[in-house]
Amino acid sequence: MKIIRLEDHNNLIFEKICEWNYNWWGIRDGKSYEEVRCNLEHSLNKDRLPQTYVALIDEEPAGMYQFAMFDDLDTRPDIYPWLINVYVDEKYRGKNVCRKLMNTVNENAKKANLQELYLYTKHVGLYEKFGWKFVEEVKTFKKDSPIERLYRLEIK
């Protein structure tokens, strides 16, 4: 398995992550496939945020994450940058893809000149394994998950 920073949208890897994100949050948030694709096209940066990283197994996308200046946590516009869209394809779950992705976050954040990252999630006990510190519970105003957990990672 290798983790790459994706910089090109003219390939099957990009099309697969568009499909994942559309099915995951695009439909939920009322976004068209074109909106999700456009958002992801503009996350393929080398020297600034947002940036997209993809786990590949035999050149097939298995999972991803992104660094971004904002997430959809409207109640906390005062904090940034964010780790967003941490995702592992269903057929690769349980095969250490998340672990390998998360083990590259600090190194890639350092290369991007970041000093800290934030994320929010429903998961308890997952991100702590990778050095993330719980900050507080936050209101999301989402019907399915009105309260989630805010985490911070100090980049070392």
Side-chain angles (χ1 to χ4, degrees), residues 14-133:
F14 179 76
E15 295 305 325
K16 186 65 173 179
I17 70 167
C18 288
E19 179 184 318
W20 290 340
N21 283 273
Y22 176 69
N23 290 328
W24 179 25
W25 57 262
I27 294 171
R28 177 197 71 206
D29 294 346
K31 305 288 185 194
S32 69
Y33 183 83
E34 293 75 22
E35 285 176 283
V36 171
R37 191 175 197 291
C38 183
N39 175 280
L40 290 167
E41 275 182 33
H42 294 284
S43 72
L44 305 181
N45 298 301
K46 181 178 181 178
D47 299 323
R48 60 186 169 88
L49 300 185
Q51 294 181 357
T52 300
Y53 295 85
V54 179
L56 300 175
I57 297 177
D58 297 326
E59 300 306 312
E60 182 177 339
M64 69 172 289
Y65 65 80
Q66 294 178 294
F67 298 147
M69 290 304 291
F70 62 91
D71 199 351
D72 62 352
L73 187 62
D74 295 333
T75 58
R76 292 303 306 267
D78 58 315
I79 54 177
Y80 56 87
W82 293 89
L83 177 71
I84 65 170
N85 295 334
V86 178
Y87 182 83
V88 175
D89 189 284
E90 287 184 26
K91 76 179 186 177
Y92 292 106
R93 292 180 187 167
K95 298 181 180 180
N96 288 319
V97 174
C98 182
R99 176 174 302 284
K100 292 190 179 181
L101 281 165
M102 294 308 297
N103 284 339
T104 68
V105 167
N106 194 75
E107 177 186 341
N108 288 327
K110 197 180 297 184
K111 288 177 186 174
N113 296 313
L114 304 178
Q115 276 131 46
E116 64 186 1
L117 280 168
Y118 291 90
L119 69 81
Y120 76 99
T121 183
K122 298 178 219 182
H123 297 287
V124 177
L126 173 62
Y127 293 98
E128 292 91 337
K129 296 175 189 176
F130 305 104
W132 291 81
K133 304 293 184 213

